[in-house]
Amino acid sequence: IKNKHKQLAHFKIIGWDFAIDKDENPVFIEYNLCPGQNQITCGPTFGDLTERVLDEFFVKKTLKYAQN
């Protein structure tokens, strides 16, 4: 997934959905470019870490790249 994620690097957060088959192998189902929609039914995506993640990925990283 890390390699696939790099191919979609212009998206800051991607939700990767997997299942486990009967032989305990991961099976890719889909990726979601707007995983935040889960919050409507499941609450904050990152739980107690939500503010920290948002600050790191949407504030610090954005400012870092804007300054370069």
Side-chain angles (χ1 to χ4, degrees):
I1 289 309
K2 289 181 181 180
N3 291 332
K4 292 294 182 189
H5 194 94
K6 290 176 187 177
Q7 295 174 356
L8 300 167
H10 50 286
F11 296 102
K12 294 188 183 280
I13 296 177
I14 300 172
W16 296 93
D17 296 342
F18 285 86
I20 304 297
D21 70 14
K22 62 181 178 154
D23 297 318
E24 299 184 7
N25 296 306
V27 177
F28 172 68
I29 297 172
E30 66 180 355
Y31 65 88
N32 300 289
L33 300 178
C34 189
Q37 295 298 320
N38 279 352
Q39 295 184 48
I40 294 170
T41 56
C42 301
T45 301
F46 300 105
D48 293 340
L49 298 175
T50 298
E51 290 297 322
R52 184 173 171 190
V53 170
L54 292 176
D55 183 53
E56 180 68 25
F57 287 97
F58 288 102
V59 177
K60 291 181 185 175
K61 298 286 184 193
T62 301
L63 292 176
K64 176 182 173 185
Y65 293 119
Q67 294 172 1
N68 289 333

